[in-house]
Amino acid sequence: MTDGKRTPWVVGVSGASGTPYAAAVLRGLLAAGESVDLVVSRASRLTLLDETGIAFRDAHWREDLAQWLARGADGKPDTFDVAVGDVRHWGAGDLAAGPSSGSYAVKGMLIVPASTACVAGVALGLSKDLLQRAASVTLKERRRLVVAVRETPLNGQTLKHLVALDEAGAVVLPASPAFYAGATHIQDLVDFVAGRVLDAAGVPHRLYRRWEGELGSSRLGG
């Protein structure tokens, strides 16, 4: 795919706990043949290091990303075989990056996971880093923005920020796993949330078993 025809999804990873959600969404996008522009915030690098032991480095981002996406939600390395060829990484401090401009063609943006600080920054239009700026651009250009907030409990101010995002056209999608799909492993719960994010983006996937109106079907293997 040439640069002239490349129209990626921007994926922003904030500092909230839940880096396996981001990895599952990235794997889902790549499996669907989508291009990805990746923004990993400074805070999320600390979370990623804490949750996986992987240090995400600008100079070696492709190697670090491949290692991250290969890891299962249970921490087991080499669980997945993922090619990261159609990913472009932008530094969080690079406010001259492509996604900082509305004239840069993208399909939309997914923030997974979204911390309450990130939610506040986007709702208030602060644009303190590339992640927030790209989200603000997504809203002003009326493109699809999915915000997978991962925090509990939520205080009143955060709830107001989430309402503001909803009113601005974003999809507010709490990272809340469901159990009707017959989850038997932590990866199943992570994949359910990732699948719902991709559903909101209109990206096809097979990450979870969909409800078909039959009670007990997950136990029966239906």
Side-chain angles (χ1 to χ4, degrees):
M1 188 180 299
T2 65
D3 288 342
K5 296 181 180 179
R6 185 179 184 274
T7 308
W9 284 96
V10 179
V11 176
V13 186
S14 83
S17 176
T19 54
Y21 292 130
V25 166
L26 289 165
R27 286 192 296 265
L29 288 170
L30 295 173
E34 299 286 346
S35 302
V36 173
D37 275 21
L38 178 64
V39 182
V40 181
S41 76
R42 292 186 177 91
S44 69
R45 298 179 191 220
L46 297 176
T47 306
L48 182 63
L49 181 63
D50 184 55
E51 293 184 346
T52 69
I54 297 171
F56 194 90
R57 304 160 294 175
D58 286 336
H60 303 279
W61 70 267
R62 193 173 294 277
E63 174 187 340
D64 298 335
L65 177 63
Q67 184 183 1
W68 176 23
L69 299 190
R71 184 178 295 264
D74 59 359
K76 184 179 178 181
D78 302 321
T79 299
F80 300 98
D81 183 12
V82 183
V84 297
D86 203 5
V87 179
R88 184 172 186 177
H89 169 255
W90 300 96
D94 185 3
L95 292 178
S100 69
S101 172
S103 66
Y104 183 77
V106 302
K107 292 183 177 179
M109 182 173 183
L110 316 175
I111 305 178
V112 189
S115 66
T116 54
C118 173
V119 166
V122 177
L124 297 174
L126 298 182
S127 295
K128 293 179 67 175
D129 62 9
L130 179 59
L131 195 159
Q132 292 183 15
R133 171 59 184 169
S136 294
V137 168
T138 301
L139 289 175
K140 80 179 182 69
E141 297 294 327
R142 302 296 190 266
R143 295 167 181 157
R144 194 167 307 190
L145 174 65
V146 182
V147 181
V149 61
R150 214 304 309 157
E151 190 72 75
T152 190
L154 298 173
N155 63 30
Q157 198 60 50
T158 298
L159 291 170
K160 291 177 183 177
H161 291 152
L162 292 172
V163 169
L165 290 178
D166 176 78
E167 292 176 342
V171 176
V172 176
L173 196 153
S176 301
F179 296 85
Y180 61 77
T184 59
H185 191 277
I186 186 174
Q187 189 67 55
D188 298 326
L189 298 175
V190 168
D191 284 348
F192 178 87
V193 172
R196 295 299 287 151
V197 171
L198 296 177
D199 286 345
V203 175
H205 66 88
R206 300 180 65 182
L207 287 175
Y208 70 87
R209 177 182 296 161
R210 297 184 181 277
W211 175 251
E212 296 181 351
E214 183 177 354
L215 291 173
S217 61
S218 64
R219 297 192 302 275
L220 298 174

